[in-house]
Amino acid sequence: MESITANDIEEWLGSFNQAGAARKAWAVLRAILRLAYRKGVTDNDVTRREIRLPHLRRYEPRVLDACQVRRLLRSFYGHALEAWLLVSVCAGLRRCESVGIEWADLDLKRGTVTVKRSVQWVAGHETVTDPKTDLSRRTVALPRFAVKRLAQLKHGRSGRLVGDLNANQVAAHYLSWCRRMKLPCVPPRNLRHTFGTLAIAAGADISVVARQLGHSDIKTTARYYLKPDLSVLKSLQRAWERLIIGAA
């Protein structure tokens, strides 16, 4: 540890194929080095030096517009995954959260769904864990049309909304139906991005959207979902123009 330099670390980070993986690796190494310094294992606190991290390209998820969402929901009417799709696109849940939702998690009198678990398919096995963060364990609202339809679908059902399907099977069936019906389609995880983007475009306060999405930092919501379209930007310029002209 005494001989590790900032150049050594930068060369090591540069060996990763993906910038995101390099940044995660640096976070782990930094924690180890700082712990070693605090414990007196080394006098070399290289983490205080400036480390140039690989450039991380901004993720720009593809989302659906309001008309496409309406068409998608209509085309899944009566489909085995209709309840899952309603909850996914209308509540902004993560893919791992939506797959784990059970009928008992729905309170249709209050119009809410409670996120209690995260379900993922890892190395050929299903893994059920707690939600990603404390804020991810949350109760969120559903729109009235979704509540009404879910009430019709429930009728004594129990277990998960997706039945016995795992996360990969849900994605495969969803994408297959979209291709078959020639529907506007995004990957399952982008249904969450679609909800967040449309909610903000509809005028919802960004802090409220962050709470619905379970974000621990409102900056995350702003970074990925605050995307005013051209019409909004033109409205801004018209208001700015009136202010400037009026001042003359």
Side-chain angles (χ1 to χ4, degrees):
M1 287 187 179
E2 294 292 341
S3 62
I4 296 177
T5 66
N7 287 335
D8 293 333
I9 294 174
E10 289 177 359
E11 289 181 7
W12 174 64
L13 294 176
S15 68
F16 285 81
N17 293 327
Q18 296 182 344
R23 286 170 175 261
K24 290 180 181 178
W26 166 234
V28 175
L29 177 61
R30 181 177 56 191
I32 294 172
L33 293 175
R34 286 181 176 176
L35 178 61
Y37 179 78
R38 289 198 304 270
K39 296 293 185 179
V41 176
T42 178
D43 293 326
N44 178 25
D45 187 5
V46 71
T47 64
R48 293 182 180 274
R49 305 285 183 87
E50 182 180 354
I51 304 296
R52 291 174 297 181
L53 300 176
H55 177 66
L56 187 63
R57 294 181 60 184
R58 178 171 175 172
Y59 175 56
E60 294 287 350
R62 186 164 57 92
V63 299
L64 302 175
D65 61 31
C67 292
Q68 291 173 324
V69 170
R70 188 181 305 115
R71 182 183 169 195
L72 182 68
L73 291 174
R74 286 177 175 174
S75 297
F76 268 82
Y77 190 90
H79 191 279
L81 291 178
E82 182 185 1
W84 165 82
L85 181 63
L86 279 167
V87 170
S88 296
V89 79
C90 296
L93 303 187
R94 298 178 177 89
R95 175 185 170 183
C96 57
E97 296 171 344
S98 64
V99 174
I101 294 295
E102 299 180 0
W103 287 102
D105 298 329
L106 301 177
D107 186 339
L108 300 179
K109 290 184 178 180
R110 296 175 58 204
T112 63
V113 55
T114 300
V115 178
K116 299 180 179 179
R117 64 195 68 82
S118 175
V119 178
Q120 301 187 45
W121 190 256
V122 181
H125 296 87
E126 184 176 87
T127 302
V128 181
T129 63
D130 290 332
K132 186 177 180 181
T133 65
D134 290 340
L135 287 179
S136 295
R137 184 184 291 275
R138 64 200 186 280
T139 297
V140 297
L142 292 166
R144 286 178 294 179
F145 75 84
V147 173
K148 182 178 179 180
R149 181 56 181 158
L150 287 168
Q152 295 172 346
L153 292 171
K154 190 172 182 179
H155 284 306
R157 293 187 184 182
S158 59
R160 295 180 187 168
L161 303 188
V162 297
D164 297 327
L165 299 179
N166 62 49
N168 288 345
Q169 290 171 331
V170 169
H173 286 307
Y174 158 75
L175 293 172
S176 175
W177 185 254
C178 287
R179 287 192 294 267
R180 179 178 176 183
M181 301 301 291
K182 298 181 179 180
L183 299 173
C185 180
V186 292
R189 70 172 183 169
N190 287 27
L191 296 174
R192 170 179 169 83
H193 291 292
T194 293
F195 169 83
T197 301
L198 293 181
I200 292 176
D205 186 277
I206 191 169
S207 63
V208 178
V209 176
R211 180 176 177 181
Q212 175 92 7
L213 294 172
H215 285 159
S216 56
D217 189 343
I218 194 173
K219 292 180 182 178
T220 302
T221 315
R223 184 183 306 119
Y224 293 115
Y225 304 97
L226 187 56
K227 300 176 183 178
D229 59 27
L230 187 58
S231 64
V232 174
L233 297 177
K234 287 183 176 180
S235 296
L236 178 151
Q237 287 289 13
R238 284 194 291 270
W240 188 85
E241 181 182 34
R242 288 195 297 271
L243 176 64
I244 297 302
I245 295 175

